[in-house]
């Protein structure tokens, strides 16, 4: 199947300014040349440590922040070139669900109003149909229509996240970026939301990009996984292949660091030394070389190339 | 350390909230005991109550006993409690910034504890500070000791907290979600460090977490809390391989696994009860998949199933008697 979304060489640099004139003295390379495709109906999971650029990638694709460079093709449309008015209309195809369901819902609005707002702005529907649509959205995410007149603070975390999902679904999008959708939830609630996301994907043939720092969540829901480190993607493969045989030293370390909820498990943990470097002055060469146990001379001077080591398995490391 | 029948209440505008309701804990030297449960179940309140760190005005802590090294902590005046805190009993918090003072250099903060508790001289204390920072894996300890907390990364701050907590060789360390705010690779470093220090010094650790993976890797025994009470307690292998309480079973089943692909996850319907409106019978009844009629009326006791395994469910209780 062909790709719904094709991203190539995406970059987002945030300027670092100093002094009263705001002279630019440097840049945080939050995303530094990331490329991937997502096929229709599939889910790309993005994992990596805090600050590695996961959210920035997600937002830049939707142009919620302006990319510095790179091309974003969605169903053949070049999203990166859309003018403001075209972009506004195009947004109906691509939506986002945020980590903190509370911060992303206006506390003064009822659920009815929260869900109506995008429908009114983007669709010309008769009043009665708007009401029906809202009732239907609530049902789809497992809430009832009597919830519609309530305010966000009257809901639990899991319910608020369902409302966030309902809002994202309001315009019948094809693609949803889910940025840490279950990170703020307890496990027993987290599993409800993850099941819901899966059901909706089947029901509406949705395509997802799932951002999470939790590898087991990503494994559950993704067909493909990309691993990011300091603004770059270091490995990208099908979920099956990546979990069976991770190749990049960082992917290996990340996987081995996850505590396994099984006291009988034996594992060889690779404990990385040191902290993630500052993204405003990343190490030269392979940015992971300061923490990599496999590093040799070339790693600290030359950046490894992004290459396809086997079909649909991409990697940036001098070892391969 | 031994805690018997700990109860903690808060005075709130909406009424009295009993956040912790009859907790018993026994902590053995050199062992790690885990406390798990969903947010709001009373894990932090338990630890703050034991440490005597809750604000006196709004809260009321009572217990049959909180014994530490044979001494009853509960009856102690605050001045004596302060001697014990940080010296024999230390605590690590989830967010290190809440316990590091932002306006003092981190070295001074650790040195102060050493001077207060161990009556060290200033120069001697500084030497020890550098040694402690090196012990917890801080690079360039001499230089870092002169920095302020905000100049460090989250992982380094958490290590400073551990250095501070370990400064006086406490026999009991209470760690409340010590790695929740950290990335997994940094979490692995911190957990390794705690294990290493425990092996060297024989510290007893009370580890509070909501991460069952962390429990499986770190703990000897586990206590599962729900709505202010212990609902199950067992040695770690027993709890994971042979859980008895429907809540524990639900928690374990709702985890997405790293090792295999599941088609669906189990989940526990509903949510934790409002602390102002605790169910009359079994507190878990509104969410329990195997609830019986009598569960709404009868309060289950913590039944002893043998080999350190306890469970608070009418089914276990009836089997037991
Ligand atoms: N508006 C901004 N201005 C300047 N720097 C920013 C801005 N937004 C993000 N950054 C920086 O860009 C980098 C990537 O941030 P991003 O939010 O994408 O990380 P992330 O991978 O989503 O992390 P987390 O797991 O903590 O959410 C970080 O170094 C961050 O500090
Ligand atoms: N200072 C306080 N005043 C009133 N209620 C409190 C206070 N601190 C905690 N609580 C309540 O006590 C219960 C347990 O909280 P806590 O121990 O922090 O949970 P957790 O298990 O997530 O650590 C919660 O219902 C919480 O709202
Ligand atoms: S390129 Fe070198 S430093 Fe980078 S991951 Fe590969 S071996 Fe390690
Ligand atoms: S007592 Fe009843 S409701 Fe409570 S856990 Fe046992 S079976 Fe479920
Ligand atoms: Mg983010
Ligand atoms: Mg807590």
């Amino acid at each position: 199947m062909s790709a719904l979304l094709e991203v190539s060489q995406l970059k987002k640099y945030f300027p670092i300014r100093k002094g009263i004139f705001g002279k630019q003295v440097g840049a945080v390379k939050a995303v530094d040349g990331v490329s991937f495709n997502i096929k229709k109906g599939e889910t790309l999971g993005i994992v990596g440590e805090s600050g590695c650029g996961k959210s920035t990638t997600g937002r830049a694709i939707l142009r919620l922040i302006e990319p510095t460079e790179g091309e974003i093709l969605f169903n053949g449309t070049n999203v990166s070139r859309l003018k403001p008015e075209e972009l506004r209309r195009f947004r109906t195809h691509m939506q986002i669900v945020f980590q903190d369901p509370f911060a992303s819902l206006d506390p003064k609005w009822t659920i009815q109003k929260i869900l109506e707002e995008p429908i009114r702005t983007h669709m010309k529907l008769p009043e009665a149909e708007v009401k029906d649509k809202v009732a239907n959205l609530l049902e789809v995410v497992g809430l009832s229509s009597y919830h519609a007149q309530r305010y966000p603070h009257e809901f639990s975390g899991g319910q608020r996240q369902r409302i966030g999902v309902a809002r994202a679904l309001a315009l019948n999008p094809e693609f949803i970026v889910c940025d840490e959708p279950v990170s703020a939830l307890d496990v027993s609630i987290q599993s409800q939301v993850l099941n819901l996301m899966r059901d909706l994907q089947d029901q509406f043939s949705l395509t997802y990009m799932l951002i999470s720092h939790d590898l087991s969540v990503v494994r559950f829901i993704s067909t493909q996984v990309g691993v990011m480190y300091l603004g770059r993607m270091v490995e990208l493969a099908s979920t099956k292949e990546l979990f069976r045989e991770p190749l990049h030293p960082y992917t290996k370390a990340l996987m081995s660091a996850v505590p396994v909820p099984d006291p009988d498990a034996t594992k060889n943990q690779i404990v990385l030394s040191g902290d993630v470097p500052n993204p405003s002055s990343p190490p030269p060469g392979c940015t992971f070389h300061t923490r990599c146990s496999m590093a040799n001379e070339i790693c600290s001077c030359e950046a490894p190339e992004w290459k396809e080591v086997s079909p649909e398995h991409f990697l940036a490391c001098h070892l391969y | 350390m031994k805690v018997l029948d700990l109860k903690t209440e808060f005075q709130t505008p909406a009424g009295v909230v009993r956040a912790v309701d009859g907790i018993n804990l026994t902590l053995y030297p050199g062992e790690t005991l885990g406390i798990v449960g969903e947010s709001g179940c009373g894990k932090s309140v338990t630890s703050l109550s034991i440490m005597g760190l809750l604000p006196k005005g709004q809260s009321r802590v009572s217990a049959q006993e909180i014994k530490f090294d044979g001494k009853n902590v509960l009856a102690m005046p605050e001045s004596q409690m302060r001697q014990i805190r940080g010296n024999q009993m230390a605590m690590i918090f989830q967010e290190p910034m809440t316990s590091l003072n932002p306006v003092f250099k981190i070295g001074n903060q650790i040195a102060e504890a050493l001077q207060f508790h161990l009556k060290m001289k200033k120069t001697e204390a500084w030497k020890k500070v550098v040694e402690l920072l090196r012990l917890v894996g801080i690079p360039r300890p001499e230089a870092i000791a002169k920095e302020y907390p905000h100049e460090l990364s989250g992982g380094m701050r958490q290590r400073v907290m551990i250095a501070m907590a370990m400064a006086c060789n406490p026999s009991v360390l209470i760690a409340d979600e010590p790695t929740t705010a950290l990335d997994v690779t940094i979490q692995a470093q911190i957990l390794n460090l705690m294990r290493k220090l425990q092996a060297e010094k024989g510290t007893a650790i009370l580890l509070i977490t909501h991460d069952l993976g962390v429990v499986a890797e770190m703990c000897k025994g586990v206590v599962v809390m729900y709505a202010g009470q212990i609902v199950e307690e067992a040695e770690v292998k027993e709890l994971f391989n042979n859980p008895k309480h429907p809540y524990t079973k639900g928690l374990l089943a709702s985890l997405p696994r790293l090792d295999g692909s599941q088609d669906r996850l189990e989940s526990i319907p509903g949510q934790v009860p409002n602390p102002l409106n605790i169910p009359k019978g079994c507190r878990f009844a509104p969410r329990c998949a195997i609830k019986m009629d009598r569960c709404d009326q009868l309060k289950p006791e913590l039944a002893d199933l043998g080999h350190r395994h306890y469970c608070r469910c009418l089914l276990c209780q009836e089997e037991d008697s």
Side-chain angles (χ1 to χ4, degrees):
Chain A
M1 213 187 291
S2 68
L4 177 73
L5 182 74
E6 294 169 58
V7 175
S8 52
Q9 284 303 314
L10 185 71
K11 291 187 185 169
K12 177 66 195 179
Y13 294 176
F14 291 105
I16 305 172
R17 297 183 193 283
K18 259 220 172 93
I20 39 172
F21 299 111
K23 192 166 157 286
Q24 184 171 342
V25 294
V28 180
K29 298 181 175 177
V31 178
D32 197 14
V34 164
S35 307
F36 55 83
N37 294 345
I38 314 180
K39 295 194 187 88
K40 187 163 174 55
E42 301 210 331
T43 301
L44 170 68
I46 302 273
V47 295
E49 291 174 278
S50 183
C52 69
K54 305 180 294 294
S55 302
T56 307
T57 303
R59 276 155 220 237
I61 290 171
L62 302 194
R63 283 186 60 193
L64 294 172
I65 50 177
E66 281 305 324
T68 308
E69 240 183 84
E71 196 151 274
I72 305 152
L73 286 179
F74 185 86
N75 242 344
T77 305
N78 193 335
V79 180
S80 28
R81 299 247 178 81
L82 293 179
K83 299 197 176 64
E85 178 53 25
E86 293 168 328
L87 181 63
R88 203 185 67 82
R89 269 182 280 125
F90 201 79
R91 283 261 164 77
T92 60
H93 301 298
M94 310 163 90
Q95 291 289 313
I96 185 163
V97 174
F98 294 101
Q99 165 169 5
D100 182 353
F102 206 41
S104 63
L105 300 173
D106 189 327
K108 296 188 295 295
W109 285 11
T110 60
I111 303 313
Q112 178 77 29
K113 192 161 177 209
I114 288 172
L115 295 179
E116 267 179 21
E117 198 259 356
I119 302 175
R120 285 190 198 287
T121 335
H122 288 278
M123 293 175 169
K124 302 268 171 289
L125 287 183
E127 201 51 25
E129 278 180 43
V130 174
K131 292 269 176 308
D132 278 355
K133 174 117 186 143
V134 169
N136 182 253
L137 281 170
L138 286 170
E139 192 184 314
V140 161
V141 299
L143 296 169
S144 19
S145 46
Y146 74 80
H147 287 123
Q149 295 316 318
R150 302 212 192 155
Y151 293 88
H153 73 264
E154 299 175 58
F155 291 89
S156 68
Q159 287 175 320
R160 284 198 287 258
Q161 199 53 286
R162 287 167 189 269
I163 295 164
V165 172
R167 185 178 53 179
L169 287 174
L171 301 172
N172 313 320
E174 291 165 75
F175 175 65
I176 304 182
V177 172
C178 305
D179 190 354
E180 306 271 7
V182 295
S183 306
L185 307 176
D186 281 312
V187 281
S188 75
I189 308 295
Q190 171 180 311
S191 59
Q192 296 173 13
V193 175
L194 289 174
N195 282 339
L196 172 70
M197 285 176 57
R198 263 213 165 165
D199 294 344
L200 294 174
Q201 178 161 42
D202 290 345
Q203 200 176 339
F204 301 109
S205 359
L206 293 169
T207 306
Y208 291 138
M209 175 165 150
L210 172 78
I211 296 169
S212 178
H213 65 274
D214 187 333
L215 282 162
S216 43
V217 166
V218 163
R219 166 149 214 187
F220 174 68
I221 222 162
S222 312
T223 41
Q224 237 196 135
V225 180
V227 183
M228 286 184 71
Y229 188 77
L230 269 184
R232 303 206 180 142
M233 205 171 268
V234 297
E235 187 163 9
L236 173 66
S238 73
T239 308
K240 263 216 186 93
E241 185 154 331
L242 194 83
F243 281 84
R244 198 189 57 227
E245 207 193 353
L247 296 177
H248 196 283
Y250 178 64
T251 313
K252 288 183 186 172
L254 195 63
M255 286 193 176
S256 81
V258 179
V260 182
D262 173 5
D264 301 316
T266 49
K267 60 178 202 176
N268 293 325
Q269 203 177 49
I270 309 165
V271 177
L272 291 178
S273 57
D275 276 321
V276 183
N278 183 343
S280 63
S281 53
C286 172
T287 51
F288 185 57
H289 84 257
T290 52
R291 301 170 81 196
C292 182
S293 60
M294 310 291 290
N296 48 37
E297 300 90 77
I298 187 172
C299 300
S300 53
C301 41
E302 212 175 291
E305 215 186 303
W306 180 242
K307 52 186 173 264
E308 192 166 7
V309 288
S310 60
E312 310 269 314
H313 194 149
F314 296 84
L315 194 67
C317 172
H318 289 302
L319 294 177
Y320 298 91
Chain B
M1 187 182 71
K2 205 170 161 120
V3 175
L4 255 187
D5 200 20
L6 176 71
K7 294 192 171 115
T8 305
E9 293 179 337
F10 291 102
Q11 208 63 249
T12 72
V16 174
V17 170
R18 184 172 283 181
V20 169
D21 194 7
I23 297 283
N24 300 337
L25 297 170
T26 310
L27 201 56
Y28 300 97
E31 281 189 21
T32 301
L33 177 68
I35 303 187
V36 286
E38 290 175 273
S39 74
C41 71
K43 305 181 295 292
S44 298
V45 172
T46 301
S47 58
L48 293 170
S49 304
I50 298 171
M51 292 294 282
L53 285 174
L54 284 171
K56 287 273 157 12
Q58 311 140 31
S59 62
R60 225 177 59 96
V61 178
S62 72
Q64 213 168 308
E65 61 174 34
I66 301 181
K67 264 216 176 119
F68 173 78
D69 250 358
K71 289 168 293 214
N72 196 349
V73 175
L74 211 57
M76 278 180 194
E78 175 60 25
S79 59
Q80 204 181 341
M81 194 59 207
R82 208 162 38 218
Q83 276 295 336
I84 288 198
R85 218 187 284 138
N87 193 0
Q88 285 142 301
M89 250 159 94
M91 185 155 175
I92 305 174
F93 300 89
Q94 171 168 355
E95 183 28 76
M97 279 315 263
T98 53
S99 47
L100 291 174
N101 191 328
V103 300
F104 293 113
K105 294 179 179 145
I106 58 165
N108 286 341
Q109 299 191 45
I110 306 175
E112 197 191 355
L114 294 166
Q115 287 169 267
F116 177 77
H117 289 298
L118 302 184
K119 310 279 172 272
M120 280 188 183
K121 296 243 167 43
K122 199 165 173 193
T123 45
E124 191 189 354
W126 260 98
K127 258 210 212 124
K128 178 85 179 169
V129 166
V130 172
E131 189 187 310
L132 281 164
L133 291 176
R134 185 169 294 126
L135 182 73
V136 297
I138 299 255
R140 303 178 294 121
E142 291 89 355
I144 299 280
K146 297 195 186 100
E147 292 195 354
Y148 293 93
H150 69 89
E151 296 176 81
L152 307 181
S153 71
M156 277 166 83
R157 270 186 227 138
Q158 203 56 283
R159 267 178 259 183
V160 170
M161 277 282 301
I162 295 179
M164 211 148 108
M166 301 305 285
C168 307
N169 280 336
S171 40
V172 171
L173 177 66
I174 300 182
D176 187 355
E177 309 259 7
T179 56
T180 303
L182 305 175
D183 283 313
V184 283
T185 64
I186 309 295
Q187 165 168 289
Q189 295 173 1
I190 300 286
L191 294 180
N192 261 8
L193 171 64
M194 285 173 60
R195 263 193 294 253
K196 187 172 137 232
L197 292 173
Q198 177 174 53
E200 276 165 25
K201 322 244 173 197
T203 322
I205 300 179
L206 185 64
L207 179 65
I208 296 173
T209 175
H210 65 273
D211 186 332
L212 288 158
V214 170
V215 169
E217 287 194 357
M218 295 290 290
C219 301
K220 175 110 195 293
V222 199
V223 163
V224 182
M225 276 183 78
Y226 187 79
Q229 294 184 324
I230 293 177
V231 293
E232 185 157 9
E233 176 171 0
E235 296 211 335
V236 74
K237 287 196 177 180
E238 170 79 2
L239 190 97
F240 278 81
N241 297 329
N242 189 19
K244 289 288 186 210
H245 197 281
Y247 176 63
T248 315
K249 289 182 186 171
L251 273 187
L252 289 170
S254 61
L255 290 176
R257 302 279 171 166
L258 202 55
D259 51 5
S261 46
Q262 297 138 298
D263 250 2
R264 285 195 79 72
L265 299 172
E266 300 291 323
S267 61
I268 306 175
Q271 51 186 300
V272 288
N274 176 343
L276 284 165
N277 193 7
I278 296 283
K280 223 167 56 220
C282 171
R283 295 180 179 197
F284 186 58
R287 302 176 73 188
C288 181
I290 56 164
K291 175 179 108 77
M292 308 161 291
D293 285 343
R294 56 185 186 281
C295 300
D296 289 324
Q297 304 304 325
L298 301 174
K299 290 186 201 310
E301 302 280 323
L302 199 58
D304 186 348
L305 312 179
H307 356 271
R308 251 183 108 177
H309 196 158
Y310 302 86
C311 174
R312 189 187 297 277
C313 167
L314 290 173
L315 291 172
C316 293
Q317 193 178 327
E318 287 156 7
E319 231 168 76
D320 188 34
S321 60

